[in-house]
Amino acid sequence: MNFSRPGAIDLSALAPRPPAAAGAPGPAGAGYVVDATEQDFQTVALEASLRHLVVLSLWSPRSPQGPEFNARLAAVTNSYDGQILLVQVDVDSQPGIGQALGAQAVPLVVGLVKGQPVPLFQSTVDDEQIRSYFDELIRVAAQNGLTGRADPVGSGEPVAEPDDDPVDDPRFAAADAAFATGDLALAVAEYEKLAAQHPGDDEVKERLAGARLMHRTHGADLTSARQAAGDAPDDVDAQLLVADLDVSGGHVEDAFGRLLDLVARSAGAERERVRERLLELFTVVGVADPRVAAARRRLATALF
């Protein structure tokens, strides 16, 4: 999980809409929780994520665990005292947000760091796991210069931000500028230059892997990609694309399983392509992730 590898989720459909009231406060007593609509999502979530961390909780009132899980998310969020603003989205009444995020099931929890989505987890998890995800998200945000705090909902009183904001790493300026203009190919090229100059730099590797993933999946339609992969199970390109989209959407184990099965039934140059893609996706997900460790073991078994 990293701002530099946020997943290829296209939020352009949620551009500013006609003015609407600001996001409504969430449950009573929820100091850092708001509800968002398609009309105010730009202000309540995207623009807010330029100043402080935002976590999106996509849920449905038709799901029995939805309200209870949202209440637990709110309680954990409030305990961080403004380091995180929880934005709740009812996907039944606000389907456009769920579509933009590629939500196939709820609950779905996604971080926003400077406008960039960071898939966290899908389905309910316990409070300790929520804290683990939030702690890592806060660490990554700080590394990328996002250290502000949200205002308590309804307080009208701004919370002081730190005086000493981290300075952006100048090495990434060209790639960041390319991202800002939507030129993903140029961003990848800039990271590839840095990777050649700094072959042992893990952060460069992570950023390059994330940029490549975004470039490969940009504009891809998940439904069409799944259909193509189902029609041609041995088509390496089709399987690789679905795996990329699954990682972008948070379906990490599905992606790894798909490619590990493909490694087992392929050979030669095609097997090597799949192996290299797996290694790159391991970097995207994070080498410390237990799902990566499990997939590495399966890969070693399949190869040897």
Side-chain angles (χ1 to χ4, degrees), residues 228-243:
D231 292 343
D234 292 321
D235 184 328
V236 172
D237 288 330
Q239 303 305 320
L240 291 178
L241 177 57
V242 174

Side-chain angles (χ1 to χ4, degrees), residues 162-186:
D163 294 331
D164 300 321
D165 288 337
V167 178
D168 290 340
D169 191 328
R171 296 180 302 167
F172 304 130
D176 288 345
F179 269 124
T181 62
D183 193 338
L184 297 178
L186 178 57

Side-chain angles (χ1 to χ4, degrees), residues 236 266-276:
V236 172
S266 61
E270 287 190 343
R271 171 184 271 200
E272 180 60 18
R273 283 184 63 205
V274 180
R275 185 190 72 85
E276 290 179 352

Side-chain angles (χ1 to χ4, degrees), residues 7-275:
I9 301 172
D10 184 6
L11 296 179
S12 60
L14 298 172
R17 307 287 186 89
Y32 299 95
V33 183
V34 296
D35 293 320
T37 67
E38 294 171 13
Q39 287 69 39
D40 62 22
F41 187 82
Q42 176 77 18
T43 301
V44 172
L46 293 180
E47 292 180 7
S49 75
L50 301 177
R51 304 185 298 273
H52 53 72
L53 266 178
V54 170
V55 169
L56 304 177
S57 172
L58 276 64
W59 71 290
S60 167
R62 292 180 293 110
S63 173
Q65 71 270 35
E68 184 274 337
F69 184 59
N70 265 353
R72 290 200 291 112
L73 272 177
V76 173
T77 298
N78 288 333
S79 72
Y80 281 83
D81 196 27
Q83 288 181 286
I84 295 170
L85 177 71
L86 179 65
V87 177
Q88 298 176 334
V89 178
D90 175 353
V91 295
D92 290 351
S93 62
Q94 310 299 324
I97 298 175
Q99 291 168 6
L101 287 162
Q104 296 181 340
V106 295
L108 173 66
V109 179
V110 177
L112 283 180
V113 179
K114 294 184 176 179
Q116 297 294 333
V118 183
L120 297 180
F121 55 89
Q122 189 165 15
S123 78
T124 60
V125 300
D126 62 35
D127 291 6
E128 183 177 352
Q129 290 174 298
I130 295 172
R131 290 185 183 279
S132 177
Y133 280 108
F134 282 7
D135 289 345
E136 176 67 8
L137 185 63
I138 289 170
R139 184 188 66 80
V140 169
Q143 289 178 343
N144 290 278
L146 190 65
T147 56
R149 288 179 179 262
D151 298 342
V153 174
S155 71
E157 298 178 2
V159 177
E161 298 191 3
D163 294 331
D164 300 321
D165 288 337
V167 178
D168 290 340
D169 191 328
R171 296 180 302 167
F172 304 130
D176 288 345
F179 269 124
T181 62
D183 193 338
L184 297 178
L186 178 57
V188 168
E190 292 296 337
Y191 283 133
E192 287 175 341
K193 291 178 186 176
L194 288 173
Q197 297 168 5
H198 309 281
D201 191 312
D202 289 339
E203 184 176 4
V204 172
K205 291 178 183 177
E206 291 174 358
R207 285 176 175 254
L208 173 58
R212 283 175 171 168
L213 178 65
M214 293 183 70
H215 189 214
R216 290 193 301 264
T217 55
H218 181 67
D221 178 75
L222 180 59
T223 301
S224 299
R226 287 198 186 282
Q227 182 66 51
D231 292 343
D234 292 321
D235 184 328
V236 172
D237 288 330
Q239 303 305 320
L240 291 178
L241 177 57
V242 174
D244 282 344
L245 289 167
D246 275 345
V247 168
S248 295
H251 304 288
V252 172
E253 292 172 329
D254 291 344
F256 289 172
R258 178 183 296 274
L259 296 190
L260 287 165
D261 289 345
L262 188 56
V263 165
R265 63 176 186 266
S266 61
E270 287 190 343
R271 171 184 271 200
E272 180 60 18
R273 283 184 63 205
V274 180
R275 185 190 72 85

